[in-house]
Amino acid sequence: GQQVMQIPQYQHVQEGEDFTTYCNSSTTLSNIQWYKQRPGGHPVFLIQLVKSGEVKKQKRLTFQFGEAKKNSSLHITATQTTDVGTYFCASDSWGKLQFGAGTQVVVTP
Amino acid sequence: GAVVSQHPSRVICKSGTSVKIECRSLDFQATTMFWYRQFPKQSLMLMATSNEGSKATYEQGVEKDKFLINHASLTLSTLTVTSAHPEDSSFYICSANGWTDYEQYFGPGTRLTVT
């Protein structure tokens, strides 16, 4: 499968600040998906990016897919305590997901 | 969105016994389901693809005789951990494609502890 590397592994954020998590692959990806997993919970689908250079926004979340389709990023503005959790990127190959290591986000009030 | 359930949510078993985990799609039919394993503070690792009416396909390194998968109907897949050992203790999660052909819906997971 197409492996994806994700950084940083941990992110401590002050409430109200912005942060970005990055996902990189050595090979061209057909698409990239992002999931959020709350502590003790299961992954929840956030978005899928397919097109080169694609940018999608969901309220305070901005997702980007690189021009070469080898990297992706998730940027969250004005972090809130509800943003706590682990954010995973995943490459999709015929429905089989290869997850990145995830970025665990801790928000301090 | 589509709903996937898992049962049980938590199970503790003794070493050497077998445990069955059920994954159900509640409001849609799933010809394909996926089983993942997640160790604490780690990512999800795909174990196998469960296909309705045919044999499951396993990822490299996953023992098919130890992790038995049965996809008996379009709404039910089961994972049986046979002869469980403490190292099998993990969080097991299933998923299925819902209404779209790419969005995966995950079950709530089953936390297995082998003593």
Side-chain angles (χ1 to χ4, degrees), chain B residues 50-67:
Chain B
S50 174
N51 305 297
E52 190 270 335
S54 64
K55 291 182 179 180
T57 54
Y58 291 80
E59 295 301 300
Q60 193 172 5
V62 178
E63 299 175 55
K64 62 179 181 181
D65 294 330
K66 180 169 182 60
F67 299 98

Side-chain angles (χ1 to χ4, degrees), chain A residues 11-20 60 75-84 87 105-109:
Chain A
Q11 182 78 58
H12 283 78
V13 189
Q14 195 98 30
E15 193 173 11
E17 291 182 342
D18 304 349
F19 77 90
T20 304
R60 295 179 294 102
H75 181 77
I76 299 182
T77 59
T79 304
Q80 300 176 359
T81 54
T82 53
D83 295 324
V84 164
Y87 294 83
V105 176
V106 175
V107 181
T108 51

Side-chain angles (χ1 to χ4, degrees), chain B residues 2-109:
Chain B
V3 179
V4 176
S5 72
Q6 264 183 259
H7 178 80
S9 57
R10 291 178 180 269
V11 58
I12 301 173
C13 70
K14 291 187 177 180
S15 188
T17 61
S18 295
V19 174
K20 180 186 284 189
I21 302 169
E22 293 185 350
C23 177
R24 294 182 185 272
S25 57
L26 297 185
D27 54 354
F28 66 100
Q29 293 182 333
T31 55
T32 303
M33 290 183 175
F34 303 93
W35 286 97
Y36 295 84
R37 179 167 55 183
Q38 185 177 35
F39 291 107
K41 305 279 186 194
Q42 294 189 22
S43 187
L44 288 87
M45 297 299 295
L46 178 65
M47 298 176 66
T49 303
S50 174
N51 305 297
E52 190 270 335
S54 64
K55 291 182 179 180
T57 54
Y58 291 80
E59 295 301 300
Q60 193 172 5
V62 178
E63 299 175 55
K64 62 179 181 181
D65 294 330
K66 180 169 182 60
F67 299 98
L68 301 179
I69 292 173
N70 183 25
H71 199 139
S73 74
L74 287 171
T75 59
L76 173 64
S77 174
T78 61
L79 168 68
T80 301
V81 183
T82 62
S83 186
H85 291 283
E87 55 265 32
D88 297 325
S89 298
S90 187
F91 192 48
Y92 292 86
I93 315 177
C94 67
S95 74
N97 290 114
W99 308 115
T100 68
D101 59 358
Y102 58 85
E103 182 174 343
Q104 295 242 356
Y105 291 91
F106 285 81

